[in-house]
Amino acid sequence: MLYVYNLLVITAGFLLKIVAFFSPKIKLFVDGRKTVFRALAHRIKPSDKTIWFHAASLGEYEQGLPVMEKMKKKFPDHKIILTFFSPSGYEVRKNAAIADVVVYLPLDTHSNAKQFLKLAHPEMAFFIKYEYWPNYLNELKKSGIPTYLISGIFRKTQSFFKWYGGFYRNALKAFNYFFVQNESSKLLLQKIGYQNVKISGDTRFDRVSGILKRDNTLNFIAKFKGSKPVIVVGSSWPKDELLLSTYINSATSAVKFIIAPHNIKPEQLHELNKSIRKKVVFFSEMKNKNLADFDVFVIDTVGILTKIYAYADIAYVGGGFGNPGIHNILEPAAFGIPIVIGPNYSHFAEAEALVHMGGCTSINTQKELNEAFDLLLQNEDVRYEKGHICSTFVQMNQNATAIIINHICPEND
């Protein structure tokens, strides 16, 4: 089975090089991996002590950040190596201050895994939430490197729990410990023979709670908002924007909108702008403009959405009309903001919980979106109550990071 897997990975790597000629994102994926070993050889000395964290993309990076920060404090003499699988994670966080080296993870071939671990020589390895690369895991196990899964989540539909999943089940033997988000994940692992499991919860709650302690001031957002309520739309996709633009066009001047699209390609921003009949200002064009005069503020940059949520009265989080589903709802929840999302959230435990508790409203149609926004705008008590549910939910689910760190590095060691 390993032979077949390696053949598939090598074939995929060859095909990706061809697709890269036609896809800018795949080109980043391919080109970014060409310099990984050179970067490691240049920045990691044989005498360096290192700890390796792997994140699939940006969301997993944010999830692992609280653990990275704690490990950095515990082991200040160690270098942090951070790898990404996806360009959407690497391109945004390639200069992350927490890490000494940020690179793409080379494709999971036997030779890549051996060379990566030879150059990185980590004393510990952390995989965040998911991504189980058999060759890397096998090499970690052979090398005796303690390996941990943090904020893991397992579902019975995964290959590990199927009759044909022996190859993948065996790869899990590399993990010294699994820190999982919920009871169902723990039970699934125990059913296939893994008892080294602890329910720690989701480290994202620690991450977003920490956001409240920093300075979230954005003077230009304050000038745009003035004294009016603001609906902040985070990580929207065209299907979200179709409903949102219809609502915006019919809304009164008593409410303002901030839209931070998931994709800030010029052609998509042009379509968004064309669909809105209110006065629109773009972040990239706001200089020398009186922001208070505009109804809609489009954020055509990355990295400031979290701070913008601090100014929101209502949040709409996009992605719920697509696959795999909604984006991060915990950031607006931490600020105590009622949230509206699309219908596709079944794989997101935090969204399921907040919908059930009433802090988050899921909509399917234009009518439902209109009703949800109108209720929250017109009834301050409902808005406050739903926001309070969200902030309490975040506060009650903190401390996953402490559980993980205390297990790996007991205070009496």
Side-chain angles (χ1 to χ4, degrees), residues 70 74 401-402 404-413:
K70 290 292 184 183
K74 287 271 186 183
T401 304
I404 294 167
I405 297 298
N406 290 339
H407 182 94
I408 297 172
C409 314
E411 288 297 328
N412 58 354
D413 276 11

Side-chain angles (χ1 to χ4, degrees), residues 242-306:
L242 185 64
L243 302 182
L244 290 162
S245 60
T246 300
Y247 184 84
I248 291 169
N249 290 335
S250 64
T252 69
S253 59
V255 58
K256 292 196 170 191
F257 300 86
I258 300 173
I259 305 175
H262 176 73
N263 194 325
I264 55 173
K265 290 181 178 178
E267 59 270 24
Q268 293 196 14
L269 293 173
H270 175 73
E271 288 300 315
L272 174 61
N273 190 26
K274 195 167 68 171
S275 70
I276 298 172
R277 295 195 297 269
K278 296 294 183 74
K279 292 185 68 176
V280 179
V281 62
F282 282 74
F283 174 86
S284 59
E285 301 172 352
M286 68 176 183
K287 191 175 180 180
N288 299 323
K289 291 184 179 177
N290 184 1
L291 297 177
D293 292 340
F294 293 88
D295 305 300
V296 182
F297 199 162
V298 177
I299 310 300
D300 53 343
T301 188
V302 296
I304 61 172
L305 174 58
T306 304

Side-chain angles (χ1 to χ4, degrees), residues 46-80:
S47 58
D48 286 337
K49 295 183 285 188
T50 69
I51 301 172
W52 173 30
F53 284 85
H54 174 65
S57 192
L58 186 58
E60 291 71 42
Y61 164 81
E62 296 290 345
Q63 205 158 24
L65 187 56
V67 179
M68 285 185 243
E69 291 171 339
K70 290 292 184 183
M71 292 299 287
K72 190 77 171 174
K73 287 182 180 178
K74 287 271 186 183
F75 301 94
D77 296 329
H78 286 60
K79 287 186 174 180
I80 299 292

Side-chain angles (χ1 to χ4, degrees), residues 90-165:
Y90 174 80
E91 293 301 325
V92 176
R93 293 292 180 235
K94 57 188 175 185
N95 297 313
I98 188 66
D100 297 278
V101 184
V102 184
V103 291
Y104 280 100
L105 183 70
L107 290 180
D108 185 35
T109 65
H110 178 67
S111 61
N112 280 349
K114 283 183 73 71
Q115 189 172 0
F116 179 89
L117 289 178
K118 181 181 178 180
L119 292 169
H121 52 81
E123 291 186 7
M124 285 178 274
F126 293 83
F127 285 66
I128 305 164
K129 190 176 180 180
Y130 55 74
E131 286 214 324
Y132 312 95
W133 300 111
N135 283 308
Y136 281 99
L137 291 173
N138 289 339
E139 288 301 316
L140 284 164
K141 188 172 187 298
K142 274 196 252 180
S143 302
I145 298 168
T147 303
Y148 305 96
L149 179 71
I150 56 177
S151 291
I153 194 157
F154 290 87
R155 297 183 178 87
K156 62 183 179 181
T157 55
Q158 291 172 299
S159 299
F160 311 112
F161 313 110
K162 303 294 185 180
W163 64 268
Y164 53 81

Side-chain angles (χ1 to χ4, degrees), residues 228-248:
K228 293 181 179 180
V230 169
I231 296 177
V232 173
V233 176
S235 303
S236 59
W237 289 77
K239 286 186 179 179
D240 302 299
E241 292 159 5
L242 185 64
L243 302 182
L244 290 162
S245 60
T246 300
Y247 184 84
I248 291 169

Side-chain angles (χ1 to χ4, degrees), residues 92 122 227 306 328 362:
V92 176
S227 60
T306 304
N328 188 353
S362 173

